[in-house]
Amino acid sequence: MRKVIVSMNVTLDGFMSASDCGLDWHFKSWNEEMARATAEQLSKADTILLGGVTYRGMAQYWNTNPVNMIRPREDLDFASMLNSYPKVVFTKSMSTVSWNNARIAQRDIGDEITELKRREGKDMIVYGSGKIVTALTKLGLVDEFRMWVHPVVIGCGKPVFKELSGILDLQLLKTEIFSSGVVILFYQVR
């Protein structure tokens, strides 16, 4: 069965973005080493799950012909995968999407993901999308968290696990440390 993997950039104090959805803290520690890891991570999936806010931000930035991008090779590989992979968008505020291979989910999130998990293929990956992560976690549909912890404290913002009640029991699978000080914590949901 396919897995749902959450890949989330977070601050040391547990925020996925600033209160205004700003991510400038995220780009300060970004380097080619991390870009390679991101492309490698995405290559092991074949479907991207996004909320509306994350979809709009990613589509605006990445929805272009990779050949026309002036970026490091790793970013081009990542962009090529992003643009070719199926993308399922969970939103109530949008009625259409224009990014290549994107579609708006037509069913309840639990039904949609349960059906997608049964299909043949590689894993599914969720980028950002705090509301989607919360909904999937509450439904017990997240299999793994890959938390990219950045060495920065912003004091306030949008917390990752704001609306969860109870204990989320996780098992640390491995860690990956980058020269920028960013650490990926790989957790499996027990």
Side-chain angles (χ1 to χ4, degrees):
M1 184 177 277
R2 300 165 77 192
K3 295 190 298 187
V4 171
I5 297 169
V6 171
S7 183
M8 177 89 62
N9 289 287
V10 297
T11 62
L12 188 59
D13 51 347
F15 296 107
M16 58 183 280
S17 72
S19 298
D20 65 354
C21 294
L23 296 173
D24 53 337
W25 56 268
H26 165 272
F27 297 106
K28 291 180 181 179
S29 53
W30 197 257
N31 61 29
E32 287 183 32
E33 179 185 28
M34 292 169 61
R36 276 191 300 278
T38 302
E40 180 183 329
Q41 187 178 97
L42 185 56
S43 73
K44 294 177 181 163
D46 67 5
T47 304
I48 302 166
L49 310 173
L50 302 164
V53 172
T54 304
Y55 167 83
R56 284 188 289 273
M58 288 185 76
Q60 182 179 9
Y61 189 78
W62 293 104
N63 187 13
T64 186
N65 182 349
V67 173
N68 297 329
M69 298 174 86
I70 301 172
R71 302 205 181 171
R73 174 83 247 157
E74 295 79 11
D75 278 359
L76 295 176
D77 293 342
F78 184 71
S80 179
M81 286 183 278
L82 280 177
N83 284 301
S84 65
Y85 282 17
K87 292 164 279 296
V88 182
V89 183
F90 296 90
T91 180
K92 292 181 179 159
S93 64
M94 298 172 9
S95 58
T96 61
V97 289
S98 59
W99 196 359
N100 187 45
N101 294 322
R103 70 175 176 84
I104 294 177
Q106 299 300 313
R107 293 179 281 184
D108 167 83
I109 191 168
D111 294 338
E112 185 80 31
I113 298 303
T114 299
E115 194 273 319
L116 286 171
K117 282 183 129 187
R118 287 189 197 124
R119 290 186 187 174
E120 290 293 317
K122 296 180 180 180
D123 295 332
M124 296 171 279
I125 196 159
V126 182
Y127 288 121
S129 306
K131 290 180 184 176
I132 302 308
V133 170
T134 297
L136 292 173
T137 303
K138 284 180 177 180
L139 292 168
L141 293 172
V142 175
D143 299 288
E144 190 175 318
F145 288 93
R146 296 180 183 169
M147 307 306 281
W148 296 63
V149 182
H150 291 250
V152 63
V153 173
I154 61 174
C156 66
K158 295 186 177 187
V160 178
F161 299 108
K162 177 182 177 184
E163 296 178 22
L164 293 181
S165 59
I167 295 173
L168 181 59
D169 192 17
L170 305 172
Q171 176 184 355
L172 182 66
L173 299 174
K174 68 177 184 173
T175 61
E176 190 169 344
I177 302 169
F178 298 99
S179 59
S180 63
V182 172
V183 177
I184 307 176
L185 303 172
F186 294 77
Y187 287 107
Q188 178 180 331
V189 178
R190 292 185 202 241

